[in-house]
């Protein structure tokens, strides 16, 4: 059998020691096709981001690069522009036929909170090879807002797969023919392409831009902040905006996307040649996202966009990213947005759950 492992398999892995944990894994951590990872009790302020390739361990790298050790047990602020490494409560004893990939959670990405997973001997961020046995660490770099964190907070998540599960373009066309994956004509090329919506039907509001000087955000405080204190509205009447270098934007896809129950997806950047910007930090789409039987009827993807070195003109309908679909090994027991309450099912343009709805 091959495919992304569902919630039932993840619970089995936790109970048999394939997933290890200082504190037992809770039911709230288990998603339809992923596991939320929890921050441990300490954070290390480091001089720079790093990997630990070859025979190196992350602990050895921390000995070389740590500037300050921070106790998180009473809550601590991770400051904008700084890099931190936090040991996670979970570790892995993966079998030889199971690999994993990690990614930031949706609310994490929408706060421009760069969160990546690093491992002992790792040569890439967020990629864990089959057979890995060892601890997990989160590298956290707040880009737009300083944040207050505590042990047990879940900023990133991990997805497990057995074998090769990615659908090629012909399989994507076939899946779309049986279960439409996107509203309108699909753009399929190494995944399902999606574009940016800069001509909404009934408003000139097309996005939000993070303000440069704001207060701290407590990540446990839901709907506790006025969006106007942290975000500037972005309006346009001509279907075009200019992205400023270094600025962070929340935009939305033009297409409404569906993830069938027997598939999962990951958002991936489009070609670097299309422009001076990066789309997405939070890349997992669980089975049932946008699926009608799970209350979705198509859900648009929120785009987390950061402009690079030069100002860049972004046009309505420009393709900015792609969804890479994978088959599930078996159906999950619960679906995103149905049994699991979701802040983002059926979404349009939407900030993270920390901000009050207007």
């Amino acid at each position: 059998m091959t495919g992304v492992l569902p919630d039932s398999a993840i619970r089995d892995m936790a109970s048999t020691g394939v997933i290890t944990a200082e504190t037992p894994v809770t039911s709230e951590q288990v998603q339809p096709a992923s596991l939320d990872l929890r921050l441990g009790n300490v954070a290390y302020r480091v001089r720079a981001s790093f990997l630990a390739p070859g025979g190196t361990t992350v602990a050895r790298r921390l000995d070389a690069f740590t500037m300050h050790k921070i106790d998180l047990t009473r809550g601590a602020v991770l400051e904008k522009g700084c890099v931190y490494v936090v040991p996670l409560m979970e570790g892995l004893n993966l079998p030889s036929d199971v690999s994993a990939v990690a990614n930031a959670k949706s609310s994490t990405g929408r706060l421009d909170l760069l969160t990546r997973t690093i491992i002992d001997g790792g040569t890439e961020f967020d990629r864990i090879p089959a057979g890995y046995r060892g601890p997990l660490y989160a590298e956290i770099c707040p880009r737009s807002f300083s944040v207050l964190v505590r042990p047990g907070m879940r900023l990133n998540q991990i997805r497990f797969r057995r074998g090769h599960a990615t659908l090629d373009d012909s399989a994507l066309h076939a899946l779309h023919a049986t279960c439409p994956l996107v509203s309108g004509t699909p753009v399929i090329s190494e995944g399902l392409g999606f574009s940016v919506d800069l001509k909404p039907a009934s408003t000139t509001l097309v996005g939000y831009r993070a303000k440069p000087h704001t207060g701290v955000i407590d990540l446990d405080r839901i709907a506790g902040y006025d969006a106007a204190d942290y975000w500037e509205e972005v309006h346009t009447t001509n279907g075009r905006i200019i992205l400023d270098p270094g600025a962070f934007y929340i935009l939305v896809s033009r297409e409404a996307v569906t993830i069938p129950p027997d598939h999962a997806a990951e958002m991936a950047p489009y070609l670097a040649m299309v422009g001076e910007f990066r789309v997405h930090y939070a890349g997992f789409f669980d089975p049932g996202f946008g699926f009608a039987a799970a209350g979705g009827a198509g859900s648009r993807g929120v785009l987390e966009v950061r402009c690079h070195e030069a100002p860049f003109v972004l046009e309505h309908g420009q393709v900015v990213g792609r969804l890479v679909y994978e088959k599930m090994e078996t159906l999950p027991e619960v679906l995103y947005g149905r049994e699991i309450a979701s802040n983002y099912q059926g979404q349009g343009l939407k900030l993270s759950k920390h901000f009050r709805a207007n």
Side-chain angles (χ1 to χ4, degrees), residues 8 10 35 76 86 121 129 146 153 158 181-182 184 201 214 217 223 279 334:
S8 57
I10 292 171
L35 176 75
V86 180
S146 296
M153 282 185 169
I158 191 167
L181 304 177
V182 66
T214 63
I217 294 176
V279 173
V334 300

Side-chain angles (χ1 to χ4, degrees), residues 157-202:
Q157 54 195 333
I158 191 167
R159 178 175 282 176
F160 303 93
R161 64 168 65 90
R162 183 176 282 112
H164 181 75
T166 303
L167 273 62
D168 61 19
D169 289 351
S170 61
L172 261 183
H173 278 290
L175 180 61
H176 178 75
T178 59
C179 176
L181 304 177
V182 66
S183 54
T185 303
V187 176
I188 295 178
S189 178
E190 297 184 2
L192 179 69
F194 57 89
S195 61
V196 62
D197 184 8
L198 298 179
K199 288 184 178 179
S202 58

Side-chain angles (χ1 to χ4, degrees), residues 280-304:
H280 105 84
Y281 292 104
F284 286 164
F285 286 65
D286 272 337
F289 180 86
F291 189 64
S299 292
R300 294 200 285 167
V302 167
L303 311 177
E304 299 127 10

Side-chain angles (χ1 to χ4, degrees), residues 112 143-144 209-210 212 242-249 276-278 305-313:
D112 197 18
R143 303 293 302 275
S144 291
R209 169 179 161 151
I242 298 178
L243 304 178
D244 290 325
F248 178 74
Y249 298 83
E276 290 288 329
F277 61 92
R278 166 197 166 113
V305 179
R306 176 171 289 280
C307 188
H308 295 323
E309 288 84 2
F312 184 78
V313 176

Side-chain angles (χ1 to χ4, degrees), residues 100-113:
V101 59
N103 223 313
K105 289 177 63 65
S106 295
S107 293
T108 306
R110 294 185 200 201
L111 290 175
D112 197 18
L113 189 58

